[in-house]
Amino acid sequence: MELSEACGEGLLVRKIVEGTVVDHIPPGKAIAVLKVLRLWPPKPDGYRVAVVFNAESRKMGRKDIVKVEGHHISREEAAALALVAPSSTVNIIRGGVVAEKWKVKPPEVAEGLLRCPNPTCITRKEREPVKPRMRLVSKEPLKYRCVYCGSTIGQDEIEGYILV
Ligand SMILES: [Zn+2]
């Protein structure tokens, strides 16, 4: 499949040969996606990144798209991505074509990905803190519950608790 098919017609940016296209991002979430991929704020020596806000989408009406040149995102990055943009699809581009394509999936257990909202939780102790583990309790809307203290984080709050 050609990259142009993967990320919609009429894009103003050139094709990438090696990299990642994150497609079907809910409109308005592209910056949150850049943050979890550690691409925001942009650095002068960082990857070349193209962002499209409010692209046409048959499926979603509007969508955002993020293209990262020279970086194939990892499964860990994809797990964090699923927390802020659960509808998104990842296209891994190799040699100018889509080599892999998958829908992101919120992890059943988010380990070390989300900070517990409870300030007295064992995972937030300053001395010997325990690695935070949050279990997925609902997919739509997203909801996670702390394995240790039972505190929950809902879809709207997730961005503020992401650790990566
Ligand atoms: Zn907790």
Side-chain angles (χ1 to χ4, degrees):
M1 182 171 43
E2 286 286 310
L3 178 58
S4 54
E5 295 170 36
C7 56
E9 67 298 317
L11 274 189
L12 304 171
V13 284
R14 68 188 170 88
K15 279 188 182 187
I16 52 177
V17 176
E18 292 295 324
T20 304
V21 176
V22 184
D23 199 0
H24 301 109
I25 300 167
K29 291 291 178 190
I31 299 293
V33 165
L34 292 176
K35 282 182 184 165
V36 299
L37 297 179
R38 294 189 187 137
L39 297 167
W40 191 267
K43 295 174 209 66
D45 60 346
Y47 296 112
R48 190 174 294 137
V49 175
V51 180
V52 181
F53 294 109
N54 294 321
E56 302 279 320
S57 165
R58 231 173 299 158
K59 203 163 70 179
M60 308 166 66
R62 292 290 180 95
K63 64 179 181 182
D64 290 354
I65 303 168
V66 167
K67 299 168 73 167
V68 187
E69 193 171 66
H71 177 55
H72 299 128
I73 73 165
S74 66
R75 294 284 167 167
E76 290 75 37
E77 288 174 309
L81 193 62
L83 298 177
V84 294
S87 62
S88 55
T89 49
V90 173
N91 299 271
I92 302 292
I93 315 299
R94 294 184 211 274
V97 295
V98 179
E100 282 177 58
K101 180 174 183 158
W102 77 83
K103 256 185 87 63
V104 298
K105 220 172 99 202
E108 290 295 325
V109 178
E111 199 169 340
L113 276 179
L114 291 167
R115 184 165 55 90
C116 179
N118 169 12
T120 64
C121 180
I122 188 166
T123 61
R124 295 189 53 183
K125 293 269 183 276
E126 281 190 24
R127 282 185 192 190
E128 298 174 52
V130 173
K131 200 176 192 184
R133 283 168 62 94
M134 313 281 294
R135 190 173 294 281
L136 181 68
V137 287
S138 161
K139 268 188 186 164
E140 232 167 296
L142 272 186
K143 191 175 180 184
Y144 278 88
R145 175 173 290 131
C146 178
V147 168
Y148 300 99
C149 74
S151 297
T152 58
I153 304 176
Q155 173 104 55
D156 299 341
E157 313 164 293
I158 276 183
E159 268 176 67
Y161 290 107
I162 286 181
L163 283 170
V164 289

